[in-house]
Amino acid sequence: MELNLGGIVGKSPVLDEVYRILGKVAPTDSTVLVTGESGTGKELLVRALHINSRRQGKPFVPVNCGAIPRELLESELFGHEKGAFTSAIRSRPGRFELADGGTIFLDEIGEMDLSLQVKILRVLQEKEFERVGGAKTMKADVRIVAATNRNLEEEVRTGRFREDLFYRLNVIPMHLPPLRERGDDILLLADHFLNRFCKQKQRKKMGLPSRSRELFLRYPWPGNVRELENFMERLSILCEHDEILPEDLPQKILDAAGIAVPEAQAAACAPANGFVWPNIGHLREKALGLKDFLDQVEERLLLEALEEAGGVKNQAAEILGIKRTTLIEKLKKRNLAAD
């Protein structure tokens, strides 16, 4: 059976091994634990597991265990009965009920509180649970797939993760390699993202010449695929010509390749006081009014913060000194809000 990769892009040998395991594991109902650094695309791999399984067409329900406050996560997973706590004004099904017959994806499982890990273990063993504040035992016909960027074996040794749950989750381990180990996949992904963003933003297709491609391969991409995706979106907006040249790339990529900024360029970019106030000349040079100019400045800072934060909106908001909700509103206003 030909695999549906569900948007995963790459042909490197290390990714071929991931595809091989995916083809064997997807048709089964075995529990899978996906590991890998943040930004490597673990959710895409888990979605591919689902769409190549016998549960295809049934619900796929993701839960980010690190994004939901610990006091609310149990209710989110198992649901609650009316009156179970102050704000429980009506009964509500949890994610396990919503995933009935399908797959539930427990992302960032390493962030889960020990007390809740016991209840996840019970669902794995007995296929049953109770809603918060309820007495009725409910059945869960779901396939559980978990993911983490933590070393769970180390978490077990330090007492932060239950050993019995780890072995229940780790029936089939799958590891997504970091982008720096995927060779020319970096260029495949860069072209893929650049073409997609140019099409979305209705601008002429842009190219990545060989000089720039070499620099992309020499940069370690600590934020992995998410960092590359955010970076290509930024270039699709800010680059004013049809090719992305080395001079369009940030200093950190040039530094990784051992390329020094020419002295004259460094002086222009980094004045003695470390900052240049925009002036009327900049507006005239760009043929922009004040509002459009400020919008461009704000958009550039938003994209740079997202890139520096590896796409993590909480961190990007902290970098900018604004609330996460404010950041999301600004991104949506510019059609920059990523899933």
Side-chain angles (χ1 to χ4, degrees):
M1 181 183 71
E2 186 175 348
L3 282 176
N4 181 343
L5 296 178
I8 301 175
V9 175
K11 300 178 180 178
S12 59
V14 288
L15 212 53
D16 282 342
E17 176 64 14
V18 173
Y19 297 154
R20 185 186 70 80
I21 299 172
L22 173 64
K24 289 186 173 184
V25 174
T28 74
D29 264 350
S30 295
T31 304
V32 178
L33 178 63
V34 180
T35 58
E37 294 178 9
S38 180
T40 49
K42 295 187 287 296
E43 182 167 345
L44 273 181
L45 177 59
V46 176
R47 287 183 181 273
L49 278 167
H50 176 71
I51 61 180
N52 289 284
S53 74
R54 291 190 293 267
R55 295 177 181 264
Q56 180 188 13
K58 297 292 185 179
F60 175 85
V61 179
V63 184
N64 189 325
C65 301
I68 301 171
R70 293 182 177 185
E71 62 273 15
L72 299 179
L73 185 55
E74 181 178 359
S75 170
E76 193 68 29
L77 289 171
F78 303 120
H80 61 256
E81 298 293 353
K82 180 179 178 181
F85 44 86
T86 304
S87 60
I89 58 175
R90 62 178 64 87
S91 296
R92 180 174 177 270
R95 301 289 184 93
F96 273 94
E97 288 177 70
L98 296 175
D100 188 47
T103 302
I104 189 166
F105 171 40
L106 302 178
D107 195 10
E108 296 189 35
I109 187 78
E111 307 293 330
M112 186 177 287
D113 193 68
L114 282 166
S115 61
L116 193 51
Q117 290 177 27
V118 177
K119 298 188 177 183
I120 296 296
L121 181 62
R122 182 189 173 199
V123 178
L124 278 164
Q125 291 176 328
E126 310 295 337
K127 306 293 184 185
E128 60 185 31
F129 62 92
E130 288 89 31
R131 287 181 177 177
V132 176
K136 180 182 177 182
T137 298
M138 311 188 78
K139 295 291 183 180
D141 176 23
V142 295
R143 181 183 192 176
I144 297 177
V145 181
T148 182
N149 57 16
R150 293 191 179 193
N151 182 336
L152 287 191
E153 290 185 89
E154 178 62 27
E155 297 292 295
V156 168
R157 279 194 291 271
T158 57
R160 291 191 295 264
F161 201 84
R162 291 183 62 96
E163 183 176 26
D164 46 6
L165 178 58
F166 169 68
Y167 288 118
R168 280 286 179 175
L169 291 171
N170 200 40
V171 177
I172 306 289
M174 295 187 72
H175 179 72
L176 262 181
L179 185 57
R180 60 185 173 273
E181 295 178 7
R182 290 174 53 181
D184 285 346
D185 280 358
I186 294 170
L187 302 179
L188 284 175
L189 284 159
D191 289 335
H192 170 76
F193 291 136
L194 189 58
N195 292 338
R196 189 181 83 193
F197 289 127
C198 286
K199 185 176 180 180
Q200 284 179 3
K201 299 173 194 316
Q202 298 181 329
R203 68 164 294 172
K204 186 177 179 181
K205 186 175 179 180
M206 300 171 69
L208 195 62
S210 57
R211 287 184 299 151
S212 299
R213 297 172 86 83
E214 177 63 26
L215 297 178
F216 272 55
L217 290 173
R218 293 166 73 175
Y219 179 64
W221 300 104
N224 293 294
V225 179
R226 186 185 294 124
E227 180 186 7
L228 177 58
E229 181 178 15
N230 291 335
F231 181 56
M232 300 317 290
E233 181 172 11
R234 174 185 170 190
L235 288 173
S236 73
I237 296 169
L238 301 179
C239 190
E240 296 180 351
H241 29 264
D242 296 334
E243 283 193 326
I244 296 170
L245 304 175
E247 50 264 38
D248 297 315
L249 305 179
Q251 186 58 40
K252 63 181 181 180
I253 290 183
L254 302 179
D255 287 343
I259 297 176
V261 178
E263 192 172 325
Q265 183 181 344
C269 295
N273 64 357
F275 182 76
V276 173
W277 284 103
N279 54 46
I280 297 299
H282 292 105
L283 270 70
R284 289 181 180 140
E285 181 184 334
K286 298 285 186 180
L288 294 172
L290 178 61
K291 182 180 183 303
D292 290 336
F293 181 79
L294 292 175
D295 282 345
Q296 280 197 9
V297 171
E298 184 176 69
E299 185 166 298
R300 180 166 189 155
L301 292 172
L302 290 169
L303 290 167
E304 286 185 0
L306 278 171
E307 181 189 350
E308 185 175 324
V312 180
K313 294 185 179 66
N314 284 341
Q315 293 180 18
E318 287 180 10
I319 291 168
L320 293 167
I322 60 177
K323 294 181 179 179
R324 183 178 186 274
T325 52
T326 303
L327 174 68
I328 292 172
E329 286 173 7
K330 290 180 179 294
L331 293 173
K332 285 182 178 177
K333 180 182 175 183
R334 293 168 171 77
N335 295 318
L336 298 175
D339 293 335

